[in-house]
Amino acid sequence: MFLNLRFWSQAAVRFCRVFFAAQKEVHLTSLQIDKKGASGVVVRFQFENAIWTQIPGGAKTIKNEITLSGNDTSLAGKTLIVQGFFQRKSYSLSAFDPASWKLEPFAPRLTNLKSVRLGFPIRLNPPAISVRQKEISHQQHSIKINYSTFSNIDLL
């Protein structure tokens, strides 16, 4: 009873926060999957504008982490259902599980390559480039200033 009341009060607070937000769409911001050996898998997730998350098994949670333990630690076929502001999105965990990826190393093989003969020769040496500069000349004009000499007495 107390946990149910606590869940719905936190969900109401998140609902009010998303209600006044400019962007109300639910976005996955981070998802991390850690394996704890053969004992289980820890899935850490974070969503933008999520009110609650429904985890595999049908339980609703406010937490950002779930632990899958026991016999069924495979993420194949498991989904997270995220409830936002009047919208619901589901994310398949099998798409994020590196164990389900079939990665094989590859090397490209080039086959059926044929040589092509061009009808013109290809020059590999570029032509020499020379820069010629014209001579620049200028004429010097002499400036003559005519002035008269004066003495200190002339100033007084």
Side-chain angles (χ1 to χ4, degrees), residues 103-149:
L103 302 176
E104 298 175 5
F106 71 95
R109 258 186 263 138
L110 303 176
T111 59
N112 296 331
L113 291 178
K114 297 177 182 175
S115 61
V116 177
R117 180 164 225 143
L118 299 174
F120 55 90
I122 297 175
R123 253 192 325 198
L124 297 178
N125 296 329
I129 298 174
S130 64
V131 177
R132 294 183 185 159
Q133 183 177 7
K134 285 187 173 183
E135 250 182 63
I136 298 175
S137 65
H138 70 283
Q139 294 178 358
Q140 185 176 6
H141 296 286
S142 61
I143 299 174
K144 191 174 186 182
I145 299 174
N146 293 329
Y147 63 93
S148 62
T149 58

CSV table of all heavy atoms in Angstrom, one decimal, residues 103-149:
chain,number,residue,atom,x,y,z
A,103,LEU,N,28.0,-10.4,-35.5
A,103,LEU,CA,29.1,-9.7,-36.1
A,103,LEU,C,30.1,-10.6,-36.6
A,103,LEU,O,30.6,-11.5,-35.9
A,103,LEU,CB,29.7,-8.7,-35.1
A,103,LEU,CG,28.7,-7.7,-34.4
A,103,LEU,CD1,29.4,-6.9,-33.4
A,103,LEU,CD2,28.2,-6.8,-35.5
A,104,GLU,N,30.4,-10.5,-37.9
A,104,GLU,CA,31.5,-11.3,-38.5
A,104,GLU,C,32.5,-10.4,-39.1
A,104,GLU,O,32.1,-9.4,-39.8
A,104,GLU,CB,30.9,-12.3,-39.5
A,104,GLU,CG,29.8,-13.2,-39.0
A,104,GLU,CD,29.2,-14.0,-40.1
A,104,GLU,OE1,29.6,-13.9,-41.2
A,104,GLU,OE2,28.3,-14.8,-39.7
A,105,PRO,N,33.8,-10.8,-39.0
A,105,PRO,CA,34.8,-9.9,-39.7
A,105,PRO,C,34.6,-10.2,-41.2
A,105,PRO,O,34.3,-11.2,-41.6
A,105,PRO,CB,36.1,-10.5,-39.1
A,105,PRO,CG,35.8,-11.8,-38.6
A,105,PRO,CD,34.4,-11.8,-38.2
A,106,PHE,N,34.9,-9.1,-41.9
A,106,PHE,CA,34.8,-9.3,-43.4
A,106,PHE,C,36.0,-8.6,-44.0
A,106,PHE,O,36.6,-7.7,-43.5
A,106,PHE,CB,33.5,-8.7,-43.9
A,106,PHE,CG,33.4,-7.2,-43.8
A,106,PHE,CD1,33.8,-6.5,-44.9
A,106,PHE,CD2,33.0,-6.6,-42.7
A,106,PHE,CE1,33.7,-5.1,-44.9
A,106,PHE,CE2,33.0,-5.2,-42.6
A,106,PHE,CZ,33.3,-4.4,-43.7
A,107,ALA,N,36.3,-9.0,-45.2
A,107,ALA,CA,37.3,-8.4,-46.0
A,107,ALA,C,36.7,-8.4,-47.4
A,107,ALA,O,36.2,-9.4,-47.9
A,107,ALA,CB,38.6,-9.2,-46.0
A,108,PRO,N,36.8,-7.2,-48.1
A,108,PRO,CA,36.2,-7.2,-49.4
A,108,PRO,C,37.1,-8.0,-50.4
A,108,PRO,O,38.3,-8.0,-50.3
A,108,PRO,CB,36.2,-5.7,-49.7
A,108,PRO,CG,37.3,-5.1,-48.8
A,108,PRO,CD,37.3,-6.0,-47.6
A,109,ARG,N,36.4,-8.6,-51.3
A,109,ARG,CA,37.1,-9.4,-52.3
A,109,ARG,C,36.8,-8.7,-53.7
A,109,ARG,O,35.7,-8.4,-54.0
A,109,ARG,CB,36.5,-10.8,-52.4
A,109,ARG,CG,37.4,-11.8,-51.7
A,109,ARG,CD,36.9,-13.2,-52.0
A,109,ARG,NE,36.1,-13.5,-50.7
A,109,ARG,CZ,34.9,-14.1,-50.7
A,109,ARG,NH1,34.4,-14.5,-51.8
A,109,ARG,NH2,34.3,-14.4,-49.6
A,110,LEU,N,37.9,-8.4,-54.4
A,110,LEU,CA,37.8,-7.8,-55.7
A,110,LEU,C,38.0,-8.9,-56.7
A,110,LEU,O,39.0,-9.5,-56.8
A,110,LEU,CB,38.9,-6.7,-55.8
A,110,LEU,CG,38.8,-5.6,-54.8
A,110,LEU,CD1,40.0,-4.7,-54.9
A,110,LEU,CD2,37.5,-4.9,-54.8
A,111,THR,N,36.9,-9.2,-57.5
A,111,THR,CA,37.0,-10.2,-58.5
A,111,THR,C,36.6,-9.6,-59.8
A,111,THR,O,35.9,-8.5,-59.9
A,111,THR,CB,36.1,-11.4,-58.2
A,111,THR,OG1,34.7,-10.9,-58.0
A,111,THR,CG2,36.5,-12.0,-56.9
A,112,ASN,N,37.0,-10.3,-60.9
A,112,ASN,CA,36.6,-9.9,-62.3
A,112,ASN,C,37.1,-8.5,-62.6
A,112,ASN,O,36.3,-7.7,-63.2
A,112,ASN,CB,35.1,-10.0,-62.5
A,112,ASN,CG,34.6,-11.4,-62.4
A,112,ASN,OD1,35.4,-12.4,-62.7
A,112,ASN,ND2,33.4,-11.6,-62.0
A,113,LEU,N,38.3,-8.1,-62.2
A,113,LEU,CA,38.8,-6.8,-62.5
A,113,LEU,C,39.5,-6.9,-63.9
A,113,LEU,O,40.3,-7.8,-64.1
A,113,LEU,CB,39.8,-6.4,-61.5
A,113,LEU,CG,39.3,-6.0,-60.1
A,113,LEU,CD1,40.4,-5.6,-59.2
A,113,LEU,CD2,38.3,-4.9,-60.2
A,114,LYS,N,39.2,-6.1,-64.7
A,114,LYS,CA,39.8,-6.1,-66.1
A,114,LYS,C,40.5,-4.8,-66.3
A,114,LYS,O,40.2,-3.7,-65.8
A,114,LYS,CB,38.7,-6.2,-67.1
A,114,LYS,CG,37.9,-7.4,-67.1
A,114,LYS,CD,36.8,-7.5,-68.1
A,114,LYS,CE,36.0,-8.7,-67.9
A,114,LYS,NZ,34.8,-8.7,-68.8
A,115,SER,N,41.7,-4.9,-67.0
A,115,SER,CA,42.5,-3.7,-67.2
A,115,SER,C,41.8,-3.0,-68.4
A,115,SER,O,41.3,-3.5,-69.3
A,115,SER,CB,43.9,-4.1,-67.6
A,115,SER,OG,43.9,-4.9,-68.7
A,116,VAL,N,41.9,-1.7,-68.3
A,116,VAL,CA,41.2,-0.8,-69.3
A,116,VAL,C,42.3,-0.1,-70.0
A,116,VAL,O,43.2,0.5,-69.4
A,116,VAL,CB,40.3,0.2,-68.6
A,116,VAL,CG1,39.7,1.1,-69.6
A,116,VAL,CG2,39.2,-0.6,-67.8
A,117,ARG,N,42.3,-0.1,-71.3
A,117,ARG,CA,43.3,0.6,-72.1
A,117,ARG,C,42.7,1.9,-72.6
A,117,ARG,O,41.6,1.9,-73.2
A,117,ARG,CB,43.7,-0.2,-73.3
A,117,ARG,CG,44.8,0.5,-74.1
A,117,ARG,CD,45.5,-0.4,-75.0
A,117,ARG,NE,46.9,-0.1,-74.9
A,117,ARG,CZ,47.9,-0.9,-74.9
A,117,ARG,NH1,47.6,-2.2,-75.0
A,117,ARG,NH2,49.1,-0.5,-74.8
A,118,LEU,N,43.3,3.0,-72.2
A,118,LEU,CA,42.8,4.3,-72.7
A,118,LEU,C,43.4,4.7,-74.0
A,118,LEU,O,44.5,4.3,-74.4
A,118,LEU,CB,43.2,5.4,-71.6
A,118,LEU,CG,42.7,5.2,-70.2
A,118,LEU,CD1,43.3,6.2,-69.3
A,118,LEU,CD2,41.2,5.3,-70.2
A,119,GLY,N,42.7,5.4,-74.8
A,119,GLY,CA,43.1,5.8,-76.1
A,119,GLY,C,44.1,7.0,-76.2
A,119,GLY,O,44.5,7.4,-77.2
A,120,PHE,N,44.4,7.5,-75.0
A,120,PHE,CA,45.3,8.6,-75.0
A,120,PHE,C,46.3,8.4,-73.9
A,120,PHE,O,46.1,7.7,-72.9
A,120,PHE,CB,44.6,10.0,-74.8
A,120,PHE,CG,43.7,9.9,-73.5
A,120,PHE,CD1,44.2,10.3,-72.3
A,120,PHE,CD2,42.4,9.5,-73.6
A,120,PHE,CE1,43.4,10.3,-71.2
A,120,PHE,CE2,41.6,9.5,-72.5
A,120,PHE,CZ,42.1,9.9,-71.3
A,121,PRO,N,47.6,8.9,-74.0
A,121,PRO,CA,48.6,8.7,-73.0
A,121,PRO,C,48.3,9.5,-71.8
A,121,PRO,O,47.7,10.6,-71.9
A,121,PRO,CB,49.9,9.1,-73.7
A,121,PRO,CG,49.4,10.1,-74.7
A,121,PRO,CD,48.1,9.7,-75.2
A,122,ILE,N,48.7,9.0,-70.7
A,122,ILE,CA,48.5,9.7,-69.4
A,122,ILE,C,49.9,10.3,-69.0
A,122,ILE,O,50.9,9.6,-68.9
A,122,ILE,CB,48.0,8.8,-68.3
A,122,ILE,CG1,46.6,8.3,-68.7
A,122,ILE,CG2,47.9,9.5,-67.0
A,122,ILE,CD1,46.1,7.3,-67.7
A,123,ARG,N,49.9,11.6,-68.8
A,123,ARG,CA,51.2,12.2,-68.4
A,123,ARG,C,51.3,12.2,-66.9
A,123,ARG,O,50.4,12.7,-66.2
A,123,ARG,CB,51.2,13.7,-68.9
A,123,ARG,CG,52.1,13.9,-70.0
A,123,ARG,CD,52.3,15.4,-70.3
A,123,ARG,NE,51.2,16.2,-70.1
A,123,ARG,CZ,51.1,17.4,-70.5
A,123,ARG,NH1,52.0,17.9,-71.3
A,123,ARG,NH2,50.0,18.1,-70.3
A,124,LEU,N,52.4,11.7,-66.4
A,124,LEU,CA,52.6,11.6,-65.0
A,124,LEU,C,53.4,12.8,-64.5
A,124,LEU,O,53.3,13.1,-63.3
A,124,LEU,CB,53.2,10.3,-64.6
A,124,LEU,CG,52.4,9.1,-64.9
A,124,LEU,CD1,53.2,7.8,-64.5
A,124,LEU,CD2,51.1,9.1,-64.2
A,125,ASN,N,54.2,13.4,-65.4
A,125,ASN,CA,55.0,14.6,-65.0
A,125,ASN,C,54.2,15.9,-65.4
A,125,ASN,O,53.9,16.1,-66.5
A,125,ASN,CB,56.3,14.6,-65.6
A,125,ASN,CG,57.1,13.4,-65.2
A,125,ASN,OD1,57.0,12.9,-64.1
A,125,ASN,ND2,58.0,12.8,-66.1
A,126,PRO,N,54.0,16.7,-64.4
A,126,PRO,CA,53.3,17.9,-64.8
A,126,PRO,C,54.2,18.9,-65.5
A,126,PRO,O,55.4,18.8,-65.4
A,126,PRO,CB,52.9,18.5,-63.4
A,126,PRO,CG,53.8,17.9,-62.5
A,126,PRO,CD,54.2,16.6,-63.0
A,127,PRO,N,53.7,19.7,-66.4
A,127,PRO,CA,54.6,20.7,-67.1
A,127,PRO,C,55.2,21.7,-66.1
A,127,PRO,O,54.6,22.0,-65.1
A,127,PRO,CB,53.6,21.3,-68.1
A,127,PRO,CG,52.3,21.2,-67.5
A,127,PRO,CD,52.3,19.9,-66.7
A,128,ALA,N,56.4,22.1,-66.5
A,128,ALA,CA,57.1,23.1,-65.7
A,128,ALA,C,56.3,24.5,-65.8
A,128,ALA,O,55.9,24.9,-66.9
A,128,ALA,CB,58.5,23.3,-66.2
A,129,ILE,N,56.2,25.1,-64.7
A,129,ILE,CA,55.5,26.4,-64.7
A,129,ILE,C,56.6,27.5,-64.4
A,129,ILE,O,57.3,27.3,-63.5
A,129,ILE,CB,54.4,26.4,-63.6
A,129,ILE,CG1,53.4,25.3,-63.9
A,129,ILE,CG2,53.8,27.7,-63.4
A,129,ILE,CD1,52.4,25.1,-62.7
A,130,SER,N,56.6,28.5,-65.3
A,130,SER,CA,57.5,29.6,-65.1
A,130,SER,C,56.7,30.9,-64.9
A,130,SER,O,55.7,31.1,-65.5
A,130,SER,CB,58.5,29.7,-66.2
A,130,SER,OG,57.8,30.0,-67.4
A,131,VAL,N,57.2,31.7,-64.1
A,131,VAL,CA,56.6,33.0,-63.8
A,131,VAL,C,57.5,34.1,-64.4
A,131,VAL,O,58.7,34.1,-64.0
A,131,VAL,CB,56.3,33.2,-62.3
A,131,VAL,CG1,55.7,34.5,-62.1
A,131,VAL,CG2,55.4,32.1,-61.8
A,132,ARG,N,57.1,34.9,-65.3
A,132,ARG,CA,57.9,36.0,-65.8
A,132,ARG,C,57.3,37.3,-65.3
A,132,ARG,O,56.1,37.5,-65.3
A,132,ARG,CB,57.8,36.0,-67.3
A,132,ARG,CG,58.5,34.8,-67.9
A,132,ARG,CD,58.6,34.8,-69.3
A,132,ARG,NE,59.2,33.6,-69.8
A,132,ARG,CZ,59.0,33.1,-71.0
A,132,ARG,NH1,58.3,33.8,-71.9
A,132,ARG,NH2,59.6,32.0,-71.4
A,133,GLN,N,58.2,38.2,-64.9
A,133,GLN,CA,57.8,39.4,-64.3
A,133,GLN,C,58.3,40.5,-65.2
A,133,GLN,O,59.5,40.5,-65.5
A,133,GLN,CB,58.2,39.5,-62.9
A,133,GLN,CG,57.8,40.8,-62.2
A,133,GLN,CD,58.2,40.8,-60.7
A,133,GLN,OE1,58.9,39.9,-60.3
A,133,GLN,NE2,57.8,41.7,-60.0
A,134,LYS,N,57.5,41.5,-65.5
A,134,LYS,CA,58.0,42.6,-66.3
A,134,LYS,C,58.8,43.5,-65.3
A,134,LYS,O,58.6,43.6,-64.1
A,134,LYS,CB,56.9,43.4,-66.8
A,134,LYS,CG,56.2,42.8,-68.0
A,134,LYS,CD,55.2,43.8,-68.6
A,134,LYS,CE,54.6,43.3,-69.9
A,134,LYS,NZ,53.7,44.2,-70.5
A,135,GLU,N,59.8,44.3,-66.0
A,135,GLU,CA,60.6,45.2,-65.2
A,135,GLU,C,59.7,46.4,-64.8
A,135,GLU,O,59.0,46.9,-65.6
A,135,GLU,CB,61.8,45.6,-66.0
A,135,GLU,CG,63.1,45.1,-65.5
A,135,GLU,CD,64.2,45.6,-66.3
A,135,GLU,OE1,64.4,46.9,-66.3
A,135,GLU,OE2,64.9,44.8,-66.9
A,136,ILE,N,59.9,46.8,-63.6
A,136,ILE,CA,59.1,48.0,-63.2
A,136,ILE,C,60.1,49.1,-63.1
A,136,ILE,O,61.2,49.0,-62.5
A,136,ILE,CB,58.5,47.7,-61.8
A,136,ILE,CG1,57.5,46.6,-61.9
A,136,ILE,CG2,57.8,49.0,-61.3
A,136,ILE,CD1,56.9,46.1,-60.6
A,137,SER,N,59.8,50.2,-63.7
A,137,SER,CA,60.7,51.4,-63.7
A,137,SER,C,59.9,52.6,-63.2
A,137,SER,O,58.7,52.7,-63.4
A,137,SER,CB,61.3,51.7,-65.1
A,137,SER,OG,60.3,52.0,-66.0
A,138,HIS,N,60.6,53.5,-62.6
A,138,HIS,CA,59.9,54.7,-62.2
A,138,HIS,C,60.9,55.9,-62.5
A,138,HIS,O,62.1,55.7,-62.5
A,138,HIS,CB,59.5,54.7,-60.7
A,138,HIS,CG,60.7,54.7,-59.8
A,138,HIS,ND1,61.5,53.6,-59.6
A,138,HIS,CD2,61.2,55.7,-59.0
A,138,HIS,CE1,62.4,53.9,-58.7
A,138,HIS,NE2,62.3,55.2,-58.4
A,139,GLN,N,60.3,57.0,-62.7
A,139,GLN,CA,61.1,58.2,-62.9
A,139,GLN,C,61.1,59.1,-61.7
A,139,GLN,O,60.0,59.3,-61.1
A,139,GLN,CB,60.5,59.0,-64.1
A,139,GLN,CG,60.6,58.3,-65.4
A,139,GLN,CD,60.0,59.0,-66.6
A,139,GLN,OE1,59.5,60.1,-66.4
A,139,GLN,NE2,60.1,58.5,-67.8
A,140,GLN,N,62.3,59.6,-61.4
A,140,GLN,CA,62.4,60.4,-60.2
A,140,GLN,C,62.3,61.9,-60.6
A,140,GLN,O,63.1,62.3,-61.5
A,140,GLN,CB,63.7,60.1,-59.5
A,140,GLN,CG,63.8,60.8,-58.2
A,140,GLN,CD,65.1,60.4,-57.4
A,140,GLN,OE1,65.9,59.6,-58.0
A,140,GLN,NE2,65.2,60.9,-56.3
A,141,HIS,N,61.4,62.6,-60.1
A,141,HIS,CA,61.3,64.0,-60.4
A,141,HIS,C,62.0,64.8,-59.2
A,141,HIS,O,61.7,64.4,-58.0
A,141,HIS,CB,59.9,64.4,-60.5
A,141,HIS,CG,59.2,63.8,-61.7
A,141,HIS,ND1,59.4,64.2,-62.9
A,141,HIS,CD2,58.2,62.8,-61.7
A,141,HIS,CE1,58.7,63.4,-63.7
A,141,HIS,NE2,57.9,62.6,-63.0
A,142,SER,N,62.7,65.8,-59.5
A,142,SER,CA,63.3,66.5,-58.5
A,142,SER,C,62.4,67.7,-58.1
A,142,SER,O,61.7,68.3,-58.9
A,142,SER,CB,64.7,67.1,-58.9
A,142,SER,OG,64.5,67.9,-60.0
A,143,ILE,N,62.4,67.9,-56.9
A,143,ILE,CA,61.5,69.0,-56.3
A,143,ILE,C,62.5,70.1,-55.8
A,143,ILE,O,63.4,69.9,-55.0
A,143,ILE,CB,60.7,68.5,-55.2
A,143,ILE,CG1,59.7,67.4,-55.7
A,143,ILE,CG2,59.9,69.6,-54.5
A,143,ILE,CD1,59.0,66.7,-54.6
A,144,LYS,N,62.2,71.3,-56.3
A,144,LYS,CA,63.0,72.4,-55.9
A,144,LYS,C,62.1,73.4,-55.1
A,144,LYS,O,61.1,73.8,-55.5
A,144,LYS,CB,63.6,73.1,-57.1
A,144,LYS,CG,64.6,74.1,-56.8
A,144,LYS,CD,65.3,74.6,-58.0
A,144,LYS,CE,66.4,75.5,-57.7
A,144,LYS,NZ,67.0,76.1,-58.8
A,145,ILE,N,62.6,73.8,-53.9
A,145,ILE,CA,61.9,74.7,-53.1
A,145,ILE,C,62.6,76.0,-53.1
A,145,ILE,O,63.8,76.1,-52.7
A,145,ILE,CB,61.8,74.2,-51.6
A,145,ILE,CG1,61.0,72.8,-51.6
A,145,ILE,CG2,61.1,75.2,-50.7
A,145,ILE,CD1,61.0,72.1,-50.3
A,146,ASN,N,61.9,77.1,-53.4
A,146,ASN,CA,62.5,78.4,-53.4
A,146,ASN,C,62.1,79.1,-52.1
A,146,ASN,O,60.9,79.2,-51.8
A,146,ASN,CB,62.0,79.2,-54.6
A,146,ASN,CG,62.5,78.7,-55.9
A,146,ASN,OD1,63.6,78.1,-56.0
A,146,ASN,ND2,61.7,78.8,-57.0
A,147,TYR,N,63.1,79.5,-51.4
A,147,TYR,CA,62.8,80.3,-50.2
A,147,TYR,C,63.8,81.4,-50.1
A,147,TYR,O,64.9,81.3,-50.6
A,147,TYR,CB,62.8,79.3,-49.0
A,147,TYR,CG,64.2,78.7,-48.7
A,147,TYR,CD1,65.1,79.3,-47.9
A,147,TYR,CD2,64.5,77.5,-49.4
A,147,TYR,CE1,66.3,78.7,-47.6
A,147,TYR,CE2,65.7,76.9,-49.1
A,147,TYR,CZ,66.6,77.5,-48.3
A,147,TYR,OH,67.9,76.9,-48.0
A,148,SER,N,63.4,82.3,-49.3
A,148,SER,CA,64.4,83.4,-49.0
A,148,SER,C,64.9,83.3,-47.6
A,148,SER,O,64.2,82.9,-46.7
A,148,SER,CB,63.7,84.8,-49.2
A,148,SER,OG,62.6,84.9,-48.3
A,149,THR,N,66.1,83.7,-47.5
A,149,THR,CA,66.8,83.6,-46.2
A,149,THR,C,66.4,84.9,-45.4
A,149,THR,O,66.2,85.9,-46.0
A,149,THR,CB,68.3,83.6,-46.3
A,149,THR,OG1,68.7,84.7,-47.1
A,149,THR,CG2,68.7,82.3,-47.0
